[in-house]
Amino acid sequence: MPVLSATNLRKSYGELKVVAGVDISIEKGECFGLLGPNGAGKTTTLRLLLGLIEPDAGEIEMLGEPVPKQARRARLRVGVVPQMDNLDPDFTVHENFMTYGRYFGLRDAEIAARIPALLDFAGLTNRADAKIQALSGGMKRRLTLARALVNDPDLIFLDEPTTGLDPQARHLMWQGLRRLLSQGKTIILTTHFMEEAERLCDRLTILDRGHVIATGSPRALIAQHIEPSVMELYGEQVAGWGQQFGDQLCERHEVVGETLFCYSRDGEALTENLKTRPHLRYLHRPANLEDVFLKLTGRDLRD
Amino acid sequence: MTHYFHLPQLSLRFIPVWRRNYLVWRKLAIPSMLGNLADPMLYMLGLGFGLGSLLPDVAGVPYITFLAAGTIAYSTMNSATFEVLYSGFSRMHVQKTWDAIMNTPMTLDDVMLGELTWAASKSLLSGIAILLIIWVMGLQASFWMTLWIIPVVILIGFCFSGMGLVMNAISPSYDFFLYYFTLVITPMVLLCGVFFPVSQLPAWLQTVSSILPLTHAIDLVRPLMLGVTPNQAWLHVLVLLAYGAVGFYLALGLTRRRLLS
Ligand SMILES: Nc1ncnc2c1ncn2[C@@H]1O[C@H](COP(=O)(O)OP(=O)(O)OP(=O)(O)O)[C@@H](O)[C@H]1O
Ligand SMILES: [Mg+2]
């Protein structure tokens, strides 16, 4: 039985169909990604799943409870990391844990007993008495995650957990999330980093304008949508090269500004061709999730 | 639209929200109290002695005694109003503290009940602080009678917290609150008998005054200061309860629409 499932979820604001018939099903222990361009409806979907806003249509079941009807009961076993940090700026790290734990009806002694492990998880053991303003962006994000664990949740929602973090902080966050997965917790996260989704997610869904446009494991999605080998060519001459060789050497190619993307089954013939043209700069790489994302959602800006 | 206005679901779950606000306040209690009290106290002492020395008895008592009763009501009103407007708005809109709380098993109803009870508690302190000064100065007619002022202050705090939360629900920014002060709070301070008896006003203004909640608050507090039982006490209690309850109900519906849509 899925830990979280939604069928035909719909939500409109005025004329705008923000969530337009979304189906989601997440199994226990899975890391599930929700991808999509800005404004695709990711945050709105998460808020619907949490029972914070009422859907126009659709059924949701979270941890065996119908949502939004029994959302309160379901949220007892859920942790949430919102898109924007909302730590309590008037409190220290320690006080943030205590206060947040009380919202779950936990007794002070229970919360206090959990704090050392949570501090350790967040890498903030020496910062228990620090003010929130004194923490770096990465620390705040890790604290927000640790705060979401105060009730030892079975299911964790993360809305863009690593946006704005430097590579070090991002890797620390990933380590934390892997630890949670290895403890058997279920995770649903949104992200704009395809690399992050590819590394962490067992399965993911790509949303666009409120519609699900693809679902599957990262590997399956890449295999399904993109040829295995991608060559990126750079420079003013790429358009000319494309006209001459594109159809012959690539299964598919596209020119974006001064870059040509050439997708092929194997890059051999292509590499031979490029060796004879030293003035063309190029990068040969395997197909990735970003290729899928851009193919399915297009390259235009959304807002 | 209408479904946002179902009845409040009240429960003891509000307590952690109340406690959160209390713990923050405790960190800044002394400056916060001073800031809250300096203003009404200076008005009471300055006007009470300064203006009072030029005046004959007002309503049968020295002016400072007359003014002290009004000051309790007005200081309680101000304290509750400031708390739900400025502090409440910063928790709801700026810091997103309410959002954080609602990601847990708490609901908006719990959060707003916590805010209401907290603002009423905080304003109780303001009211009691003025009362302490009154006791120290011996302005009361009967000490025991003035103890009744304490539940009245709680009622006043409830009334103006409920009303203020409506403003909080519809405000786009802090600037908006100025309208509430200019159009509601300041007229009440001037028309409801804080500084002079309502009977000094022209008849039509007396009519306006009679429907304003601060008038009813003062109609309860002033007799108790003077050691007599208020006339029509239940009417005044009901009016204050009604303003607070209707305000809270409206505020909850409007805030549900604002945050949960
Ligand atoms: N309460 C609301 N009222 C009106 N429109 C809203 C509301 N909430 C969201 N929207 C609109 O719905 C659309 C989707 O918003 P949402 O926040 O779900 O997108 P998102 O996929 O999380 O985007 P991002 O990647 O930028 O975080 C946006 O166009 C947004 O303006
Ligand atoms: Mg979002």
Side-chain angles (χ1 to χ4, degrees):
Chain A
M1 205 183 75
V3 167
L4 177 60
S5 69
T7 44
N8 191 29
L9 208 51
R10 289 176 188 274
K11 181 78 185 175
S12 299
Y13 290 111
E15 292 293 290
L16 186 64
K17 288 182 182 148
V18 175
V19 178
V22 166
D23 295 298
I24 283 178
S25 173
I26 305 176
E27 299 296 325
K28 182 174 178 346
E30 241 189 333
C31 178
F32 186 90
L34 203 52
L35 312 188
N38 288 131
K42 301 180 295 296
T43 300
T44 307
T45 302
L46 294 188
R47 284 167 50 77
L48 286 167
L49 294 172
L50 284 166
L52 299 174
I53 51 180
E54 198 132 341
D56 299 336
E59 305 284 320
I60 305 169
E61 191 177 284
M62 177 159 71
L63 298 165
E65 307 282 354
V67 171
K69 207 164 182 51
Q70 295 293 345
R72 248 182 49 71
R73 197 124 61 114
R75 287 205 302 270
L76 271 172
R77 291 158 57 205
V78 168
V80 179
V81 175
Q83 183 166 354
M84 304 284 181
D85 276 325
N86 53 23
L87 294 161
D88 219 314
D90 298 304
F91 286 140
T92 64
V93 171
H94 181 89
E95 290 165 335
N96 262 280
F97 283 123
M98 292 302 295
T99 306
Y100 204 70
R102 291 185 192 119
Y103 300 141
F104 289 88
L106 297 171
R107 281 176 295 114
D108 281 11
E110 255 173 303
I111 308 167
R114 289 179 188 182
I115 289 179
L118 294 172
L119 285 170
D120 180 60
F121 180 88
L124 292 171
T125 300
N126 300 321
R127 299 297 189 110
D129 297 319
K131 286 238 167 222
I132 298 307
Q133 296 92 312
L135 302 181
S136 72
M139 288 173 174
K140 279 188 205 159
R141 218 58 193 136
R142 293 202 301 280
L143 175 57
T144 305
L145 172 58
R147 184 184 70 168
L149 303 176
V150 75
N151 57 327
D152 193 21
D154 299 323
L155 171 62
I156 302 156
F157 282 67
L158 299 114
D159 199 353
E160 301 192 23
T162 60
T163 297
L165 301 192
D166 65 21
Q168 286 85 348
R170 189 171 300 156
H171 276 270
L172 265 174
M173 179 64 83
W174 292 344
Q175 274 175 31
L177 296 182
R178 285 215 185 79
R179 241 165 90 190
L180 294 171
L181 290 168
S182 72
Q183 293 165 13
K185 304 208 181 284
T186 309
I187 287 179
I188 174 168
L189 64 81
T190 76
T191 180
H192 289 299
F193 298 109
M194 298 302 129
E195 196 197 336
E196 175 167 294
E198 213 169 326
R199 287 181 186 209
L200 287 174
C201 297
D202 300 303
R203 282 188 318 127
L204 51 88
T205 273
I206 301 179
L207 278 186
D208 196 15
R209 301 193 169 97
H211 294 274
V212 172
I213 52 171
T215 298
S217 74
R219 199 181 304 231
L221 286 173
I222 296 166
Q224 184 187 343
H225 293 281
I226 309 289
E227 298 73 10
S229 156
V230 181
M231 189 75 79
E232 294 184 14
L233 287 75
Y234 314 104
E236 285 170 23
Q237 303 102 320
V238 294
W241 184 93
Q243 272 167 7
Q244 204 175 347
F245 301 107
D247 290 339
Q248 176 196 340
L249 294 173
C250 315
E251 304 243 328
R252 224 158 38 83
H253 66 281
E254 57 181 329
V255 178
V256 181
E258 295 191 351
T259 303
L260 184 145
F261 293 84
C262 170
Y263 307 92
S264 61
R265 295 275 145 218
D266 83 288
E268 292 276 329
L270 188 54
T271 320
E272 288 306 313
N273 175 294
L274 290 175
K275 271 185 191 153
T276 65
R277 277 158 233 282
H279 57 281
L280 270 178
R281 272 196 314 115
Y282 65 91
L283 170 74
H284 189 197
R285 60 170 177 79
N288 61 30
L289 198 55
E290 190 144 318
D291 297 321
V292 177
F293 186 86
L294 291 171
K295 180 179 175 193
L296 297 182
T297 61
R299 290 181 181 272
D300 302 329
L301 278 183
R302 287 311 159 84
D303 50 26
Chain B
M1 171 71 213
T2 48
H3 72 279
Y4 294 116
F5 287 88
H6 57 84
L7 285 178
Q9 312 234 292
L10 306 181
S11 82
L12 290 181
R13 286 192 303 264
F14 78 88
I15 292 173
V17 179
W18 184 94
R19 189 159 167 204
R20 182 243 163 240
N21 291 346
Y22 164 72
L23 290 173
V24 172
W25 171 83
R26 207 177 57 174
K27 292 186 173 226
L28 297 165
I30 302 223
S32 147
M33 289 274 276
L34 288 179
N36 258 323
L37 291 178
D39 195 56
M41 241 178 266
L42 287 173
Y43 266 92
M44 181 173 111
L45 299 176
L47 287 180
F49 287 123
L51 201 56
S53 66
L54 301 171
L55 293 174
D57 283 2
V58 177
V61 290
Y63 184 60
I64 189 157
T65 308
F66 178 89
L67 184 61
T71 305
I72 291 181
Y74 133 82
S75 159
T76 307
M77 168 180 82
N78 257 1
S79 167
T81 304
F82 268 96
E83 184 62 25
V84 289
L85 261 55
Y86 290 94
S87 311
F89 190 74
S90 96
R91 289 188 284 266
M92 173 184 80
H93 187 74
V94 183
Q95 290 175 197
K96 306 281 182 205
T97 310
W98 292 14
D99 285 348
I101 300 174
M102 287 188 287
N103 281 332
T104 73
M106 304 283 256
T107 62
L108 183 62
D109 296 32
D110 302 327
V111 173
M112 289 197 54
L113 183 58
E115 291 286 344
L116 178 83
T117 49
W118 166 247
S121 311
K122 199 175 157 188
S123 65
L124 172 63
L125 276 179
S126 298
I128 287 184
I130 303 289
L131 198 52
L132 277 174
I133 297 173
I134 288 170
W135 286 334
V136 169
M137 294 173 65
L139 299 178
Q140 77 280 6
S142 142
F143 172 77
W144 297 108
M145 220 39 183
T146 55
L147 289 183
W148 279 104
I149 291 178
I150 295 171
V152 172
V153 164
I154 295 176
L155 188 59
I156 299 172
F158 165 75
C159 171
F160 290 103
S161 303
M163 287 173 59
L165 281 170
V166 178
M167 288 299 112
N168 192 44
I170 58 176
S171 175
S173 71
Y174 290 113
D175 299 329
F176 184 79
F177 296 138
L178 206 56
Y179 293 113
Y180 185 60
F181 278 96
T182 318
L183 298 175
V184 180
I185 297 294
T186 308
M188 279 200 286
V189 172
L190 295 174
L191 298 180
C192 295
V194 176
F195 297 109
F196 50 83
V198 175
S199 56
Q200 301 300 309
L201 294 168
W204 68 276
L205 270 180
Q206 286 191 35
T207 311
V208 172
S209 171
S210 69
I211 58 170
L212 297 174
L214 189 63
T215 304
H216 296 271
I218 291 175
D219 280 346
L220 286 170
V221 177
R222 188 160 284 137
L224 291 169
M225 264 291 285
L226 306 182
V228 294
T229 311
N231 269 334
Q232 294 182 299
W234 283 109
L235 171 73
H236 303 310
V237 168
L238 277 178
V239 170
L240 292 173
L241 276 176
Y243 267 103
V246 171
F248 184 67
Y249 170 76
L250 265 182
L252 191 55
L254 292 167
T255 313
R256 284 187 191 130
R257 193 181 65 178
R258 175 176 186 146
L259 297 181
L260 306 183
S261 72

